[in-house]
Amino acid sequence: MRRWWHSARVLVGLGLAIAVLICGVLAPLIAPHDPNAQDLLATLQPAAWQAGGDSTHLLGTDSLGRDVLARLIYGARVAITVALAASFGAMVIGSALAYLAGYFGGRVDWLIGRAVDVWMSFPPVVLSLILMTGLGVGERNVIFAIILVDWTRFCRVLRSEVLVVRRRDYVAAARLVGFSHWQTLTREIVPATIPLLVTLLTLEMGIAIVVEAILSFVGLGVSPDQIAWGQMIADGREAIYQAPWTLLAPVLAIFLAVAGFNMLGDGLRRSLDVRMVEGRE
Amino acid sequence: MRLLASLTRRLLVAVPILLVVSALLFTALRVLPVDPAAMSMPPNATRAEIEQARIQMGLNKPLPVQYAIWLGRAAHGDFGQSIHLRRDALRLVAETLPATIELTGAAMLVAGILGVAGGLLLFALRDRKAELVAETATTVLMSVPEFIWALLFIFIFGVLLPVLPFTGRLAPSLDRPVVTGFLLLDAVLVGRMDVLMSALAHMVLPALALGLAFSTPVMRVLRASLLDVYHEDYIRQARLRGLSETRILLRHALKNAFLPTLTLLGVQFGFLFGGSLLIEVIYSYPGMGNLMVDAVRNADLPVIQLVGLTYCVVVLFINSVVDGLYQVLNPRLRAR
């Protein structure tokens, strides 16, 4: 029962994540309208099933008469690009430093540990805003800012795992057989931490989607001509009394995307972690 | 007394971190492609005038010298003028910080209460079928970031059932008493019940949105540490002594399971304090978050720098307090 439930959760998470991915990749093919086409005679139209709704605009239109569903689908593009690029970038930097700190210890560990301390004393939102001031708006800069803020999440968690793995007998054995530091790291230590890394990566994708939405919401995210869920929320908030669905649609999209990645990450953690698998039976 | 000593030690450790943070902030904001001198001048200023301003602001000197100058002035409480608002930056922060602290404190209270209640509930459901549902529910709840809660609450309690206010800190018809800057406290001090009620009503939605988002990790950690604690011998002892389950839970287990939860609350505080920024923007709450976003939009460097620094100071301070508390509350560390 437990097993089944957990795999069901992973599947639902995977399904949601893939759905966002497909929307992002195939946006031009599946979007019912041009997301930027304005129709000032049909602004703030309700969704198709509501009174006065029109089946050509399934989720209605926004304050400039643009199709909400089309914008939602195109918004997935930015969301998924940022999620993938930023989380991979943060993982590469954070885990490289974590391996160095955890494996070599000593001064390297001290230095990296203090860097993490300094970084963590900034609330993430504040740090990303400061970075966006410097970098300027744009998709690439959003990715860059998230990498620069979130590498610590990987570094902190992974470092303690490397500390544990480093003390295992097979690592000592590898060194005795004559493996170099590099060989020991890449052949013995990295593979042992892959499950944790995959879990952190999945969870980070959800976080990246939220951060991108936050930055776009305050107008410091992707450039204004790109379509992002955060911008749709900012627009929808202005029309909350007349057309609440223009706010609720992107809110729901963000929720589903993040829930998807979280369920996937949570499920993977349970199925990949040997200790938890053993404890469960 | 022990708390005080431990706290002082920890605060001293935080000082070098703060210096590094301020140097990093300074450098990051100076290498930006924005020219603070040009921005502080009227649009029709000549090149020569801007150059003059650059020299006056010390911008022609090397970066370390500029930082030393800034640090020297900061030590005297001079953090520069807001370029955009043309007011003392420190004053702007001093005016907005109490609002943010009030909001964060209220949210922390919400997160603590909901977190402990939820954690106890999750624990009570252990080894039952309902646990799976509850666990999934927390995963789903964790997927709702604070700004989504904020928007949903505005929609539900502001638009669908308009029962609570969702802009500002006080009804516009009321005048605000200023004694300490902490509105709730000031209202009590001057004995204005109407102001107190209005301020509380304005705080419900933002504090709930912020607190709710941070209560789910608390629930999970409390449940996990309760599960751990229940493997300990003294729980079995207590059972053998015939104590009731409720008494075991509340008097013995909870006390020990609370320590990891406390650490988590400390770590969460940084996220929660940062999260207040967005909540303030959404609810037009006149705190430091709104000041920051305005400053960022206007590239108002002195304000960005000071607000950024203030966020760090508060986070470092709270983390030190939590560490100190942990040291005092944990008997294993106390012996050393």
Side-chain angles (χ1 to χ4, degrees):
Chain A
M1 172 71 186
R2 232 161 214 280
R3 255 225 150 128
W4 176 85
W5 185 272
H6 284 304
S7 36
R9 247 185 355 179
V10 175
L11 283 181
V12 172
L14 194 65
L16 285 171
I18 289 177
V20 180
L21 185 70
I22 289 179
C23 283
V25 175
L26 300 179
L29 295 177
I30 50 178
H33 293 272
D34 173 358
N36 288 316
Q38 302 184 3
D39 182 356
L40 295 176
L41 294 175
T43 60
L44 299 179
Q45 289 209 331
W49 59 87
Q50 287 174 305
D54 178 353
S55 61
T56 54
H57 297 292
L58 266 183
L59 292 179
T61 58
D62 70 3
S63 54
L64 291 172
R66 297 172 297 194
D67 186 63
V68 171
L69 181 60
R71 293 181 71 73
L72 217 52
I73 293 174
Y74 269 88
R77 232 170 205 207
V78 168
I80 202 76
T81 315
V82 170
L84 289 175
S87 51
F88 268 103
M91 179 187 77
V92 169
I93 295 182
S95 56
L97 290 174
Y99 289 129
L100 284 179
Y103 183 76
F104 290 107
R107 272 190 213 158
V108 183
D109 189 25
W110 184 86
L111 198 68
I112 294 174
R114 294 297 80 71
V116 172
D117 280 350
V118 168
W119 244 258
M120 299 284 292
S121 64
F122 274 107
V125 181
V126 175
L127 186 55
S128 49
L129 275 180
I130 292 174
L131 287 172
M132 288 310 287
T133 324
L135 298 165
V137 296
E139 191 179 58
R140 212 162 25 147
N141 292 343
V142 171
I143 293 172
F144 201 51
I146 297 178
I147 293 176
L148 282 179
V149 173
D150 279 349
W151 64 271
T152 49
R153 290 184 201 263
F154 286 89
C155 193
R156 239 169 16 117
V157 180
L158 202 60
R159 177 188 160 270
S160 14
E161 181 76 6
V162 175
L163 281 179
V164 175
V165 174
R166 193 185 62 170
R167 296 204 175 82
R168 299 244 169 94
D169 290 341
Y170 64 80
V171 175
R175 290 287 293 151
L176 285 175
V177 173
F179 274 29
S180 66
H181 285 309
W182 173 251
Q183 281 172 322
T184 318
L185 260 174
T186 51
R187 294 199 201 161
E188 306 294 341
I189 294 193
V190 173
T193 52
I194 292 283
L196 178 64
L197 217 51
V198 171
T199 307
L200 287 176
L201 185 71
T202 320
L203 295 174
E204 177 63 29
M205 288 185 191
I207 295 172
I209 289 181
V210 172
V211 176
E212 184 271 316
I214 289 175
L215 290 174
S216 296
F217 173 75
V218 292
L220 284 162
V222 296
S223 58
D225 52 314
Q226 264 184 311
I227 300 156
W229 290 341
Q231 278 171 347
M232 293 179 69
I233 290 181
D235 291 344
R237 193 173 158 244
E238 305 294 317
I240 188 168
Y241 284 106
Q242 308 93 317
W245 62 91
T246 55
L247 172 72
L248 293 177
V251 161
L252 195 66
I254 292 175
F255 165 67
L256 287 178
V258 177
F261 283 115
N262 278 1
M263 280 200 261
L264 189 59
D266 215 45
L268 285 177
R269 184 168 61 91
R270 283 158 202 273
S271 23
L272 293 178
D273 193 325
V274 188
R275 277 160 296 180
M276 287 192 87
V277 173
E278 280 166 359
R280 218 163 58 197
E281 301 308 320
Chain B
M1 205 52 228
R2 195 194 297 278
L3 176 66
L4 208 65
S6 143
L7 186 62
T8 323
R9 222 176 16 250
R10 265 147 223 288
L11 286 178
L12 286 178
V13 178
V15 170
I17 296 188
L18 200 59
L19 275 177
V20 177
V21 165
S22 73
L24 276 179
L25 252 179
F26 190 85
T27 319
L29 291 173
R30 281 307 174 278
V31 293
L32 297 186
V34 248
D35 183 358
M39 294 198 45
S40 65
M41 304 292 285
N44 56 356
T46 62
R47 251 169 210 289
E49 280 170 331
I50 292 176
E51 201 45 47
Q52 181 98 44
R54 282 180 65 84
I55 294 169
Q56 225 168 36
M57 293 166 91
L59 294 173
N60 54 340
K61 300 201 174 73
L63 204 60
V65 179
Q66 285 188 38
Y67 176 65
I69 296 175
W70 177 83
L71 203 61
R73 285 195 187 144
H76 291 94
D78 176 11
F79 289 89
Q81 282 247 323
S82 155
I83 296 170
H84 175 60
L85 298 166
R86 310 216 167 256
R87 290 185 54 206
D88 188 34
L90 187 62
R91 190 151 223 139
L92 286 170
V93 169
E95 281 170 7
T96 48
L97 182 62
T100 303
I101 291 181
E102 259 180 10
L103 173 60
T104 318
M108 204 75 185
L109 199 67
V110 171
I113 293 173
L114 288 180
V116 171
L120 287 176
L121 180 70
L122 277 181
F123 180 71
L125 290 175
R126 69 189 183 281
D127 301 327
R128 292 197 204 168
K129 275 190 185 151
E131 187 191 14
L132 296 174
V133 181
E135 239 178 70
T136 311
T138 51
T139 314
V140 173
L141 281 179
M142 267 172 105
S143 313
V144 188
E146 64 277 12
F147 83 107
I148 297 269
W149 280 126
L151 293 164
L152 284 177
F153 285 161
I154 288 188
F155 177 65
I156 298 170
F157 300 106
V159 177
L160 281 186
L161 321 151
V163 283
L164 284 164
F166 58 88
T167 41
R169 203 176 169 199
L170 193 65
S173 56
L174 295 169
D175 57 319
R176 196 188 134 193
V178 181
V179 187
T180 59
F182 291 92
L183 186 54
L184 295 179
L185 186 63
D186 289 353
V188 175
L189 285 178
V190 297
R192 289 277 302 274
M193 277 312 279
D194 53 338
V195 173
L196 184 67
M197 292 321 283
S198 170
L200 282 175
H202 278 78
M203 200 175 265
V204 173
L205 290 185
L208 209 56
L210 192 53
L212 198 56
F214 290 95
S215 63
T216 34
V218 180
M219 290 178 198
R220 290 196 151 193
V221 168
L222 183 62
R223 168 183 169 270
S225 46
L226 274 173
L227 285 176
D228 275 350
V229 165
Y230 265 66
H231 286 302
E232 301 273 346
D233 287 341
Y234 62 80
I235 297 292
R236 206 172 32 216
Q237 293 283 348
R239 274 211 188 105
L240 287 176
R241 287 196 345 247
L243 299 184
S244 73
E245 283 298 314
T246 328
R247 198 182 154 92
I248 294 176
L249 177 66
L250 295 180
R251 292 290 296 274
H252 298 265
L254 194 59
K255 228 157 101 186
N256 291 296
F258 197 69
L259 279 176
T261 318
L262 180 73
T263 321
L264 178 84
L265 279 173
V267 176
Q268 289 284 314
F269 180 83
F271 293 102
L272 194 136
F273 195 55
S276 71
L277 187 143
L278 213 62
I279 298 294
E280 287 181 12
V281 174
I282 292 174
Y283 287 97
S284 315
Y285 194 87
M288 213 164 58
N290 263 315
L291 181 67
M292 177 75 171
V293 171
D294 278 342
V296 165
R297 282 185 183 144
N298 295 302
D300 196 341
L301 297 190
V303 177
I304 298 177
Q305 192 161 338
L306 184 60
V307 174
L309 207 58
T310 312
Y311 272 106
C312 289
V313 170
V314 176
V315 170
L316 284 172
F317 178 74
I318 296 292
N319 285 350
S320 307
V321 171
V322 171
D323 276 355
L325 269 179
Y326 189 79
Q327 190 110 38
V328 172
L329 291 179
N330 192 344
R332 283 180 210 141
L333 294 176
R334 213 185 293 154
R336 279 184 223 156

